[in-house]
């Protein structure tokens, strides 16, 4: 009997700078309840799900930034109600948040929480996009390299709800190596929350093209690694800055099983056949039979591209 797991992507609409954590938690709890009413057993929330996407602003008062946007503990008094609801409903979830450790280190992090409310795993975002310097002429900033350290926990998978589940965050989806490292550890499900601006701060990239990139990456990553992929957006106009939705649940075949239709709070859900990928993993993407790591050295040894043609 094939293993099935009903999974929901619980997309958040905008969170403005003035919105409190309590307001965010209330909306997250409502999304959880809606996912439960649809029969979901695993809910994937977005990246930085408790606050607005604050890296869009240059802020110099770190104490103020820490207090407004970072979590010193998880769950905290304000976020605990979400964990308690999930435990009551017997639902596991992935949630992204800004982590401030007791040692004063800051990460763009995500948790994998079991249906018993216990934290099963943590991931700290490794691919930090954007810049660390102030770009006053830009319409908005993208300061993840200023506010966060590069994640130090690696790309890992966990035994979770009778599956092997891995976590990524947002920009990680633009780097195939991240998915492959998870797939090489047996990942059957990858959960990924994202906050992606509709506009490109560097040049006038057509917004439709950015969504196209988002969708082709999701489909190719799921297919090339024979995994289910759940990508959940925080979307809409946050203080006037738009982020796109297009939360998706993608099958190991690379086919989009379900996609969100709005840029608001919205739950999409699918009864995922976890064994759907079994044939793919045994044939086309049988890594042991087909991969040739002896020819892949440059992927690990070289960071930036260098022109090194065979004919000199
Ligand atoms: N957001 C964006 C993302 O990778 C970005 C940043 C957008 C980088 C478009 C490059 C191109 O989807 C986050 N939070 O990583």
């Amino acid at each position: 009997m094939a293993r099935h797991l009903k999974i929901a992507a619980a997309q958040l609409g905008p969170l403005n700078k003035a919105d409190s954590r309590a307001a965010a938690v209330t909306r997250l709890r409502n999304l959880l309840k809606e996912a439960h009413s649809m029969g979901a057993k695993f809910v994937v929330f977005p990246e930085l799900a408790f606050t607005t996407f604050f890296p869009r602003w240059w802020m110099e008062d770190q104490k103020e930034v820490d207090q407004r946007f970072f979590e010193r503990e998880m769950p905290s008094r304000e976020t605990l109600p979400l964990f308690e609801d999930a435990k009551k409903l017997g639902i596991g979830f992935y949630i992204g948040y800004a982590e401030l450790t007791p040692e004063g280190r800051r990460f763009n992090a995500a948790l994998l929480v079991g249906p018993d409310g216990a934290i099963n795993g943590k991931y700290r975002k490794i691919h930090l996009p954007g810049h660390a310097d102030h770009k006053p002429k830009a319409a908005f900033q993208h300061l993840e390299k200023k506010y966060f350290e590069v994640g130090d926990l690696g790309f890992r998978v966990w035994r979770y709800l009778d599956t092997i589940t891995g976590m990524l965050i947002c920009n990680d989806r633009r780097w195939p190596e991240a998915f492959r490292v998870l797939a090489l550890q047996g990942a059957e499900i990858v959960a990924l929350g994202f906050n992606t601006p509709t506009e490109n701060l560097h040049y006038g990239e057509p917004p439709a093209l950015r969504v196209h990139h988002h969708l082709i990456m999701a489909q190719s990553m799921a297919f090339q690694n024979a995994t289910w992929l759940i990508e959940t957006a925080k979307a809409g106009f946050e203080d006037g800055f738009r982020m796109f939705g297009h939360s998706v649940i993608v099958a190991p075949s690379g086919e989009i099983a379900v996609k969100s239709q709005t840029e608001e709070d919205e739950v999409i859900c699918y009864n995922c056949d976890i064994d759907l990928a079994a044939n793919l993993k045994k044939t086309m993407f049988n890594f042991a039979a087909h991969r040739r790591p002896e020819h892949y050295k440059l992927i690990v040894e070289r960071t930036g591209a260098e022109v090194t043609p065979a004919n000199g």
Side-chain angles (χ1 to χ4, degrees):
M1 166 77 171
R3 288 171 297 156
H4 281 74
L5 182 62
K6 212 156 200 197
I7 304 177
Q11 174 180 292
L12 261 180
L15 278 171
N16 293 316
K17 202 170 185 177
D19 288 338
S20 68
R21 262 183 198 73
V25 170
T26 299
R27 285 168 54 189
L28 291 163
R29 295 174 71 187
N30 290 335
L31 288 167
L32 187 80
K33 289 189 183 86
E34 185 180 348
H36 179 254
S37 70
M38 298 160 92
K41 291 294 177 206
F42 179 33
V43 177
V44 179
F45 289 114
E47 171 189 27
L48 297 176
F50 297 113
T51 68
T52 193
F53 185 72
F54 64 89
R56 66 166 64 92
W57 288 295
W58 175 267
M59 295 172 280
E60 293 182 348
D61 181 345
Q62 190 60 53
K63 276 199 177 17
E64 160 83 4
V65 171
D66 289 346
Q67 194 278 322
R68 291 285 298 273
F69 305 113
F70 281 83
E71 310 302 328
R72 290 178 184 278
E73 53 180 345
M74 189 58 79
S76 61
R77 183 180 52 76
E78 290 165 306
T79 55
L80 182 61
L82 175 67
F83 286 67
E84 289 175 332
D85 281 0
K87 185 175 176 181
K88 240 183 279 163
L89 298 172
I91 291 183
F93 64 95
Y94 158 113
I95 190 143
Y97 68 104
E99 176 192 18
L100 173 56
T101 72
E103 304 73 34
R105 301 181 67 193
R106 296 172 183 82
F107 297 98
N108 186 339
L111 294 179
L112 197 58
V113 182
D116 59 354
I119 293 173
N120 291 200
K122 181 191 289 188
Y123 169 65
R124 289 168 171 163
K125 186 174 183 178
I126 287 171
H127 293 102
L128 296 173
H131 51 97
D133 60 314
H134 189 196
K135 296 181 180 305
K137 292 198 179 62
F140 56 91
Q141 311 296 303
H142 199 111
L143 291 160
E144 293 192 55
K145 292 184 194 293
K146 166 182 165 56
Y147 292 117
F148 304 119
E149 282 185 50
V150 171
D152 59 352
L153 300 176
F155 300 113
R156 300 308 307 275
V157 300
W158 288 269
R159 291 189 188 288
Y160 185 73
L161 301 175
D162 191 25
T163 74
I164 303 295
T165 294
M167 293 191 274
L168 294 173
I169 300 175
C170 203
N171 194 258
D172 287 324
R173 72 193 194 280
R174 300 177 193 280
W175 307 100
E177 300 88 337
F179 278 82
R180 186 48 51 88
V181 170
L182 293 180
L184 285 167
Q185 298 174 74
E188 298 170 309
I189 297 172
V190 175
L192 182 151
F194 68 94
N195 286 209
T196 300
T198 301
E199 305 294 330
N200 184 326
L201 74 94
H202 302 291
Y203 57 87
E205 184 180 21
L209 189 54
R210 289 163 70 81
V211 173
H212 173 68
H213 292 155
H214 159 67
L215 295 175
I216 58 173
M217 291 187 297
Q219 293 178 264
S220 57
M221 298 295 180
F223 175 55
Q224 289 174 327
N225 294 288
T227 64
W228 281 94
L229 172 57
I230 298 87
E231 294 195 353
T232 306
K234 176 146 57 70
F237 287 91
E238 292 194 330
D239 296 297
F241 296 94
R242 191 172 196 172
M243 298 190 295
F244 64 67
H246 304 283
S247 300
V248 283
I249 298 179
V250 187
S253 61
E255 293 169 298
I256 294 177
V258 57
K259 188 167 86 63
S260 66
Q261 301 301 311
T262 71
E263 291 186 341
E264 290 145 24
D265 293 10
E266 179 181 349
V267 180
I268 56 175
C269 190
Y270 194 78
N271 191 23
C272 301
D273 171 357
I274 304 303
D275 297 311
L276 190 65
N279 286 332
L280 265 180
K281 288 177 189 267
K282 281 190 216 124
T283 57
M284 186 184 297
F285 293 117
N286 176 337
F287 289 169
H290 302 309
R291 292 188 69 247
R292 307 267 28 115
E294 67 273 19
H295 293 290
Y296 303 162
K297 283 201 303 290
L298 274 192
I299 291 177
V300 175
E301 289 167 0
R302 196 174 284 185
T303 303
E306 293 166 32
V307 176
T308 48
N311 61 353

